[in-house]
């Protein structure tokens, strides 16, 4: 983003400087201005790439937030089901629920890091966030399997 702003500023400065030249020098700058049209196209293309990346970031964050919200609802349902289980299963599930709560907190922490990640660290933060969510999902799936076995 800073690079795009810099290119736009330099381009505008260049055009302003060219506007002050005499008519005899304008003929030489007309070719430069024509060439710089390609530069402004490059600036526009860079801006499009930046907008596309920002849109992708926002979409990824929304998807992760949705997945986290869904898992949170599933864990709430699991807690309700655990309350109705036999004492032996309930004790085991309560341990798994504690683990789920810890992993949920870790996933939320990774999401916050993802939201504040720079362009340079974005992919790594996204990978860590997805790994935390996958770990949470696997733990949840094990707990559900445990309930199914007890029924």
């Amino acid at each position: 983003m800073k690079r795009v702003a810099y290119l736009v500023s330099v381009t505008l400065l260049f055009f302003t400087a060219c506007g002050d030249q005499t008519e005899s020098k304008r003929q030489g700058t007309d070719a430069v201005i024509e060439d710089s049209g390609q530069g402004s196209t490059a600036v526009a293309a860079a801006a499009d790439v930046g907008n596309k990346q920002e849109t992708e970031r926002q979409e990824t964050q929304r998807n992760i937030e949705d997945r986290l919200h869904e898992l949170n609802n599933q864990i709430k349902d699991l807690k309700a089901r655990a309350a109705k289980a036999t004492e032996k299963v309930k004790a085991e599930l309560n341990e798994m629920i504690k683990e789920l709560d810890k992993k949920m907190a870790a996933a939320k922490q990774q999401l916050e890091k993802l939201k504040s990640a720079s362009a340079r660290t974005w992919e790594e933060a996204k990978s860590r966030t997805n790994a935390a969510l996958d770990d949470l999902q696997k733990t949840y799936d094990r707990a559900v399997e445990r309930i199914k076995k007890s029924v």
Side-chain angles (χ1 to χ4, degrees), residues 97-113:
I97 288 170
K98 286 179 186 176
E99 185 179 356
L100 283 167
D101 288 340
K102 287 179 185 177
K103 290 184 180 193
M104 176 63 76
K108 286 180 179 179
Q109 183 180 23
Q110 288 299 322
L111 176 60
E112 290 306 312
K113 288 180 181 180

Side-chain angles (χ1 to χ4, degrees), residues 12-31:
L12 289 174
L13 183 63
F14 177 75
F15 285 124
T16 304
C18 289
D20 293 339
Q21 295 191 3
T22 62
E23 193 63 37
S24 63
K25 291 184 179 180
R26 281 189 193 266
Q27 292 174 351
T29 60
D30 286 344

